[in-house]
Amino acid sequence: MARAFVGTGEFTVKIAIDVRKWRDFGIGTYVRNLVRHLAQLDQDTTYFLFCHDDDQPALRGLAENFVPVVDRSAGYGVREHVSIPFKLRRLGAQLLHSPHYVRPLLCTTPSVVTIHDCIHLLFPQYLPNRMAWRYARFMMGSAIRHSAVVFTVSEASRADILRFYPWADPRKVHVVPNAIDTELLEDPGEEEKARVRERYQLHGRFVLFAGNVKPHKNLERLIQAFARVREQGGYGDLQLLLIGDDVSRYGGLRRAVEAAGLRQDVRFFGFVPHHTLAALYRMASVFAFPSLYEGFGLPPLEAMSCGTPVVTSRMSSLPEVVDDAALLVDPYDVEDIANGICRVLDDCELRDQLVEKGLARSRTFSWDRSVRAIHAGYMKALGRPESALAEAAR
């Protein structure tokens, strides 16, 4: 990627970004791509990166104007509300970017925040207790109230934010969509695919899900739908692969597999490296993602970029993201999910159309363009004129 220089070459602006979720799914993908693209695009701003000890080596190698700052505060705890504001003052930072809804309460530094979704407010039953819901609602409202710019990742999420916080100024809520990791865009090649197939003993066709395995991902209904697909005959070689972190915490998924008599046909892989995921996306017959709610829904877009046909939910942001390049189903209807999977498996013409449209749709999203738009938000929050980066984002 070509470097884009702005300013005079002196580090006159100091911006802090909370990157403690560097290794996470979801927000971690956002943080990693934000920081890596900023390092390519802006060499005239000092960026302080609040991080965990283990992430310092990766962050030090970004660029000379990117400075790791260790903060050992636990996420969603009391300490971060004190330690981060203290470090901001000590470092002389002029702006803080909180890439999720927790903006430190004692922060007096100007700030911007990214609110990816309102899932905690829409699905409080998935939180551990009532206090967690109150914390999420309060912290999200505080971040909106005290931030100069609120980024979100889809029009659906923007509408949710303004519905839950009708007093918020809609002019400062900016939609900047996510995009795809470059590691997934590169075809790993036939040799790597063969290695993955042998390592994981994949001898037939498979339906793939990738993402975290929290309840709103609707995996129990996906398992039930897969059982109905298998019952129809002609799919004896078909397996369901579920890739997600910490599957062991959700015993209900394994019980659903047992109840459906699918012990040998549904497989839980847990976390896999990017190069393995890139191969699995391309090897899958169908990518199924019947989520009940997504702020953006990156996995369907990733699958489409790999030339895999997608069956996904018609709820929340997903229709906005996939447009007409995926088959949309009712995520609450097991039969509809099963029928969608069967249609893609059986209808070669539909399959080819979805692959072609999916590849085209995925190319309309770009981290380079999105990070330029975020940088423009930084300049707006700082009261500075738009830079060449902002012009290129349009």
Side-chain angles (χ1 to χ4, degrees):
M1 183 188 299
R3 290 183 176 270
F5 290 86
V6 296
T8 63
E10 298 178 0
F11 299 166
T12 57
V13 177
K14 297 178 180 180
I15 297 174
I17 306 174
D18 183 354
V19 303
R20 290 175 296 156
K21 289 183 176 287
W22 182 264
R23 300 193 185 197
D24 287 14
F25 288 100
I27 294 176
T29 300
Y30 179 90
V31 167
R32 290 189 299 273
N33 282 282
L34 167 65
V35 170
R36 287 169 178 165
H37 282 78
L38 280 173
Q40 292 291 328
L41 295 167
D42 181 4
Q43 289 76 51
D44 286 0
T45 300
T46 297
Y47 288 95
F48 299 115
L49 307 177
F50 294 138
C51 64
H52 295 303
D53 294 87
D54 294 346
D55 296 325
Q56 286 189 84
L59 298 173
R60 282 199 191 99
L62 289 167
E64 65 174 315
N65 55 319
F66 281 68
V67 183
V69 179
V70 173
D71 188 278
R72 298 184 177 91
S73 305
Y76 311 105
V78 173
R79 182 176 171 181
E80 64 182 338
H81 295 286
V82 178
S83 66
I84 288 179
F86 173 78
K87 290 182 175 71
L88 289 168
R89 291 192 296 270
R90 178 169 58 82
L91 295 166
Q94 295 155 279
L95 185 70
L96 169 68
H97 183 180
S98 295
H100 62 306
Y101 67 82
V102 178
R103 174 191 178 274
L105 293 175
L106 298 183
C107 180
T108 57
T109 302
S111 63
V112 300
V113 65
T114 302
I115 298 178
H116 298 263
D117 57 52
C118 293
I119 188 167
H120 294 329
L121 308 185
L122 286 161
F123 295 91
Q125 65 269 33
Y126 298 151
L127 293 170
N129 51 55
R130 182 73 175 174
M131 186 59 68
W133 178 85
R134 289 175 177 167
Y135 178 84
R137 185 173 179 86
F138 172 78
M139 290 305 304
M140 209 175 289
S142 176
I144 294 167
R145 190 181 301 277
H146 294 105
S147 294
V149 175
V150 177
F151 298 116
T152 192
V153 293
S154 66
E155 293 292 345
S157 282
R158 184 177 188 272
D160 288 339
I161 290 168
L162 295 175
R163 177 160 61 91
F164 280 106
Y165 302 95
W167 46 261
D169 183 353
R171 294 172 298 180
K172 73 175 184 180
V173 184
H174 297 216
V175 174
V176 180
N178 291 331
I180 304 161
D181 264 330
T182 54
E183 295 159 300
L184 293 174
L185 291 173
E186 296 177 8
D187 191 327
E190 293 305 316
E191 186 175 334
E192 174 64 12
K193 292 179 201 173
R195 186 194 69 79
V196 170
R197 191 175 290 278
E198 181 61 29
R199 177 180 177 184
Y200 293 99
Q201 294 295 292
L202 301 173
H203 301 304
R205 298 177 297 170
F206 60 88
V207 177
L208 179 67
F209 167 89
N212 65 51
V213 292
K214 293 178 181 177
H216 71 279
K217 297 298 183 181
N218 204 28
L219 295 186
E220 290 193 32
R221 287 193 181 92
L222 176 57
I223 291 167
Q224 294 165 9
F226 179 73
R228 297 200 184 183
V229 172
R230 288 294 302 267
E231 289 169 0
Q232 295 185 30
Y235 303 107
D237 66 327
L238 192 67
Q239 291 189 318
L240 173 62
L241 273 55
L242 303 176
I243 298 174
D245 57 319
D246 202 11
V247 172
S248 62
R249 287 197 303 159
Y250 299 98
L253 296 182
R254 294 198 183 277
R255 288 193 293 273
V257 171
E258 293 289 338
L262 295 170
R263 183 186 297 183
Q264 304 302 319
D265 304 305
V266 178
R267 301 176 62 189
F268 299 92
F269 281 8
F271 172 80
V272 298
H274 269 94
H275 60 85
T276 300
L277 181 58
L280 289 170
Y281 270 139
R282 288 168 172 81
M283 293 157 56
S285 296
V286 183
F287 182 78
F289 197 80
S291 178
L292 302 178
Y293 179 80
E294 295 292 323
F296 183 81
L298 193 53
L301 196 65
E302 293 173 344
M304 291 193 299
S305 75
C306 296
T308 302
V310 171
V311 174
T312 193
S313 166
R314 60 169 61 104
M315 305 287 287
S316 65
S317 66
L318 288 163
E320 173 187 341
V321 171
V322 302
D323 198 38
D324 65 345
L327 188 63
L328 300 180
V329 296
D330 179 353
Y332 291 98
D333 187 337
V334 170
E335 197 67 39
D336 200 31
I337 299 170
N339 289 340
I341 293 171
C342 288
R343 282 188 62 196
V344 175
L345 289 170
D346 297 339
D347 188 335
C348 292
E349 184 177 352
L350 171 64
R351 182 184 179 85
D352 290 344
Q353 288 175 356
L354 292 177
V355 169
E356 182 180 355
K357 289 181 177 180
L359 289 168
R361 180 62 177 169
S362 67
R363 287 192 287 267
T364 65
F365 295 87
S366 159
W367 274 119
D368 181 81
R369 185 164 57 249
S370 291
V371 171
R372 290 174 187 270
I374 291 169
H375 188 276
Y378 292 167
M379 296 301 104
K380 178 180 178 180
L382 289 166
R384 289 175 170 254
E386 289 191 354
S387 67
L389 298 185
E391 292 295 325
R394 295 197 179 97

